[in-house]
Amino acid sequence: MTETTSPLWQPDARRVANANLTAFIDRYLPGADYARLYDWSVAEPAAFWSAVCEFCGIVHHTPAQVVLEHADRMPGAVWFRGATLNFAENLLRYRDDHPALVFRDETGARRELSYAQLAAQVGALTAALRAFGVQPGDRVAGYLPNIPEAIIAMLAAASLGAVWSSCSPDFGARAVLDRFGQIAPRVAFVCDGYHYNGKAQDRRVAVAEILAGLPSAEQVVAVSCGGGRVSQAPVPLHDWDDVLAKHAGAESAFTPLPFDHPLYVLYSSGTTGVPKGIVHGAGGTLLQHRKEHTLHADLKRDDRLIYFTTTGWMMWNWLASALATGCTLILYDGAPFVRPAELFDIAQQERVTVFGTSAKYLAAAEKAGLKPAQTHDLSALRTLLSTGSPLAPEGFDYVYRDIKADLLLSSISGGTDICGCFIAGNPIGPVYRGELQARALGMAVRVYDEAGHELLGQKGELVCVKPFPSMPVGFWNDPDGSRYRAAYFDKFPGVWCHGDYVELTARGGMIVHGRSDAVLNPGGVRIGTAELYREVERFPEIQEAVAVGHQIDDDVEVVLFVRLVDGLTLDDALRQRLRAAIRADVSPRHVPAHILQVADIPRTISGKIAELAVREAIHGRPVKNLDALANPQAIAQFQGLFDAS
């Protein structure tokens, strides 16, 4: 990709002067620019992460004896040995009338909780969990929408040192049991349903199946969301409102715990087998999120942050941590297009200052012809965050042309594996078209070729060559750590290999070309699928596409599947136009051998295109875990399509 020389946006002097990042630089590395600060943050990790602790006001019960031990081991480094803290206490540091949570859903419902009210409800629920016998290390599971109750339950669990894990209620029962069944939760929070795309979704049958498959659950707390009520369970069943009323007035109590005490179990996508349970520690998660919120997203107390997510995506955990900044979280539950501009309507009504979403949402908004710059008052909005998949250069154009011209567009990238970002925003730096602004502070990110040689300005594997605090504590049910090491450290021993295909530009930005395990490699020439999608999705006839490699003899050919706008049919003329555009703007070697129309494209429950599942299906191989897909029925149209038997 050719680097553009002129930025799409750059902050004015006032914004730079008022940025948290500027204050951080002035305190710890006066006179530095971002590049110099980054170099210091990875060269002196103990000093940098200590500075983050101090600057962000991390609340400890016991200070660390040593900040970083075994810095040469990856995995194996030990962070903040001897320190004790409580994750929930850090998120509930404010207890005033400032709004903490504003809940909105597609039915028009609105609820608001102040920081004082939030702390009171967490205190009551913590007392209830203690009465249930919950101890540090016990697991507490939530099958809940993106509602205040989910955050309150998580904070109550964390207050006691229990391990929280959540699934969105759009997960089917089998997918939930594949996840919660591994961790054997002692307490389960469940809902009766949720609303999506104008319809009430009753989940009581799924809840009954889930509870029947979780013999470890000793207590169940039911939240009414969908208009019905969960009324039966194989163990004691409690109503949410009754539980809070019974323990009203209980003071918050925070159990001091070691820095690496388990906080969350998050899950891999599960499209190639049973999802891996990734265990994240309290201190590492807290420190990573505080750094990202404070320095990269520039969040302050008067900010109002929305992130379009569900409880089944790590961005929900990321969103919840922003309570530590004292800002207001806007929680939305429902379909993003239940009304054409629903999220922008909420952004206007709630005076959102930081709007987080996915690249997929932005592409869909552009296809739908939304132009909020002309239809909405977004004067409060100053930052737009995008993640989930690479944001195409045309997506950058859309944001600045049709959403807001004076806006920091931070396309960020990381993953469930680290519950954070390898590539992040820089609020004091410019934004260039198609380029993520910067490698995240404290993350020693490099780009390697297949032989482990470092690359600049060329595509390769995203790696991290030094430890960082939010590395997983480990995988669930992996006592010797072998599965954990195999997932990230087999390819380049001692170096984290993340599985993204990226490019580091000369000015320090990054371009993400897709997942490296989905790279297309005809004739030995590698290209990321995101590059192909950028070209294909320029066509107004095409809603979305998936490209995979089909094995033929000792080579692969590219197969492109397209989902067209409703009512259109793929013909030879469109195929020829697509091939000509790919040949001219991408690569002659990557012109698809086959272009086929499909009715739907498989996606994971978190919304990512399931390229590996499609690749397995077209070769006639079984897709191992259909329950990991949001639309498993879509796989049937690919199954055995190119089976070369």
Side-chain angles (χ1 to χ4, degrees):
M1 180 177 174
T2 303
E3 289 186 35
T4 53
T5 54
S6 300
L8 293 172
W9 177 89
Q10 47 193 356
D12 59 27
R14 182 173 176 273
R15 182 156 183 169
V16 172
N18 291 335
N20 293 328
L21 187 58
T22 299
F24 184 85
I25 290 171
D26 289 346
R27 185 184 300 186
Y28 299 105
L29 206 66
D33 59 7
Y34 188 92
R36 188 175 153 214
L37 177 66
Y38 174 79
D39 289 344
W40 172 71
S41 75
V42 296
E44 302 290 343
F48 170 72
W49 289 106
S50 293
V52 171
C53 267
E54 180 183 67
F55 187 80
C56 294
I58 301 294
V59 179
H60 287 92
H61 286 253
T62 308
Q65 298 166 3
V66 182
V67 173
L68 175 58
E69 286 184 320
H70 311 305
D72 58 338
R73 296 182 190 173
M74 195 173 183
V78 177
W79 291 93
F80 293 89
R81 180 171 60 81
T84 59
L85 54 76
N86 185 278
F87 180 83
E89 184 175 16
N90 277 273
L91 270 61
L92 294 172
R93 54 194 299 191
Y94 297 99
R95 303 294 182 89
D96 54 18
D97 292 333
H98 189 74
L101 304 176
V102 174
F103 171 69
R104 298 286 302 264
D105 73 9
E106 63 171 44
T107 71
R110 186 185 190 277
R111 287 190 281 149
E112 183 173 313
L113 284 177
S114 69
Y115 272 88
Q117 291 169 324
L118 174 63
Q121 293 196 23
V122 171
L125 194 59
T126 302
L129 291 179
R130 187 182 290 109
F132 292 161
V134 172
Q135 300 288 323
D138 286 344
R139 276 76 64 203
V140 175
Y143 185 63
L144 297 169
N146 184 23
I147 54 177
E149 288 82 354
I151 287 182
I152 293 164
M154 178 275 288
L155 289 170
S159 296
L160 295 174
V163 183
W164 173 261
S165 191
S166 58
C167 286
S168 172
D170 58 349
F171 283 37
R174 184 71 259 158
V176 174
L177 290 172
D178 281 347
R179 291 159 173 79
F180 291 169
Q182 297 181 51
I183 64 170
R186 191 169 181 182
V187 177
F189 289 85
V190 299
C191 66
D192 57 333
Y194 63 100
H195 287 86
Y196 194 84
N197 212 24
K199 297 179 181 178
Q201 309 288 330
D202 191 329
R203 303 305 290 157
R204 286 175 291 181
V205 172
V207 165
E209 187 177 342
I210 290 163
L211 295 178
L214 291 177
S216 62
E218 300 169 0
Q219 310 281 343
V220 176
V221 180
V223 182
S224 182
C225 305
R229 186 172 293 274
V230 174
S231 57
Q232 292 184 325
V235 295
L237 175 66
H238 310 270
D239 177 78
W240 174 274
D241 292 334
D242 292 345
V243 167
L244 289 192
K246 181 177 179 179
H247 296 277
E251 289 293 323
S252 299
F254 303 108
T255 303
L257 300 156
F259 184 85
D260 60 356
H261 182 80
L263 169 70
Y264 292 137
V265 177
L266 305 180
Y267 303 94
S268 65
S269 63
T271 52
T272 56
V274 176
K276 296 185 288 288
I278 304 169
V279 185
H280 287 289
T285 302
L286 176 66
L287 206 52
Q288 185 73 270
H289 290 178
R290 288 305 324 263
K291 178 204 70 174
E292 292 175 0
H293 291 143
T294 303
L295 302 183
H296 292 291
D298 200 32
L299 284 174
K300 302 180 175 71
R301 260 230 101 177
D302 58 355
D303 276 310
R304 295 172 70 83
L305 167 67
I306 189 171
Y307 217 108
F308 178 60
T309 183
T310 73
T311 59
W313 188 23
M314 62 144 284
M315 293 311 298
W316 178 84
N317 307 79
W318 189 92
L319 174 65
S321 293
L323 289 167
T325 70
C327 75
T328 301
L329 307 190
I330 314 297
L331 308 178
Y332 175 70
D333 187 61
F337 295 105
V338 64
R339 284 168 288 276
E342 179 74 359
L343 294 184
F344 292 114
D345 292 344
I346 291 173
Q348 173 179 293
Q349 294 158 9
E350 299 294 345
R351 304 292 293 165
V352 165
T353 60
V354 182
F355 183 112
T357 187
S358 65
K360 178 190 172 189
Y361 171 80
L362 293 173
E366 182 177 16
K367 291 266 185 184
L370 297 186
K371 298 184 178 182
Q374 299 176 20
T375 57
H376 289 70
D377 175 8
L378 299 179
S379 54
L381 186 63
R382 60 186 180 84
T383 300
L384 193 150
L385 305 172
S386 169
T387 193
S389 59
L391 181 62
E394 293 75 18
F396 283 71
D397 298 339
Y398 170 65
V399 168
Y400 284 109
R401 181 186 67 241
D402 291 329
I403 296 180
K404 192 174 183 182
D406 184 14
L407 181 79
L408 170 60
L409 171 56
S410 289
S411 180
I412 59 179
S413 182
T416 300
D417 320 75
I418 65 169
C419 203
C421 298
F422 279 123
I423 316 171
N426 171 14
I428 64 173
V431 175
Y432 291 91
R433 185 176 188 264
E435 187 173 319
L436 287 69
Q437 282 182 292
R439 290 173 288 180
L441 296 169
M443 311 295 276
V445 171
R446 305 286 186 269
V447 182
Y448 277 7
D449 67 12
E450 288 294 297
H453 301 129
E454 194 167 337
L455 301 172
L456 177 63
Q458 299 178 61
K459 302 164 196 171
E461 293 274 2
L462 186 155
V463 301
C464 191
V465 300
K466 290 186 178 182
F468 49 92
S470 70
M471 289 173 62
V473 173
F475 286 174
W476 199 262
N477 293 331
D478 182 28
D480 63 357
S482 58
R483 292 169 61 225
Y484 175 38
R485 290 190 298 274
Y488 308 113
F489 302 102
D490 267 7
K491 187 160 189 174
F492 305 112
V495 170
W496 177 289
C497 184
H498 193 57
D500 278 350
Y501 193 51
V502 299
E503 178 182 346
L504 178 63
T505 71
R507 57 177 163 242
M510 295 202 83
I511 300 164
V512 178
H513 295 290
R515 293 292 295 169
S516 58
D517 54 10
V519 162
L520 303 169
N521 195 25
V525 180
R526 292 160 61 84
I527 187 172
T529 52
E531 297 174 80
L532 204 59
Y533 301 154
R534 285 170 189 154
E535 189 62 35
V536 170
E537 291 176 4
R538 291 176 191 258
F539 284 71
E541 301 95 328
I542 295 175
Q543 290 276 32
E544 58 182 354
V546 59
V548 295
H550 170 232
Q551 194 73 38
I552 48 168
D553 299 324
D554 295 325
D555 201 357
V556 296
E557 60 182 6
V558 177
V559 182
L560 177 68
F561 298 97
V562 295
R563 181 170 74 87
L564 300 186
V565 172
D566 289 347
L568 297 186
T569 302
L570 180 65
D571 57 20
D572 286 340
L574 180 54
R575 286 188 179 94
Q576 290 173 10
R577 287 166 51 217
L578 282 165
R579 287 191 171 107
I582 292 167
R583 180 177 288 106
D585 296 333
V586 182
S587 153
R589 287 183 178 267
H590 295 88
V591 173
H594 308 276
I595 303 177
L596 302 170
Q597 182 175 356
V598 290
D600 199 6
I601 288 176
R603 290 188 173 274
T604 66
I605 294 173
S606 60
K608 296 181 180 179
I609 293 174
E611 291 160 321
L612 298 187
V614 171
R615 190 175 70 193
E616 293 299 285
I618 69 166
H619 287 93
R621 299 189 288 262
V623 177
K624 294 181 181 178
N625 194 357
L626 290 174
D627 289 318
L629 298 177
N631 52 344
Q633 69 282 355
I635 279 292
Q637 60 197 321
F638 301 93
Q639 200 71 52
L641 199 58
F642 290 93
D643 189 353
S645 58

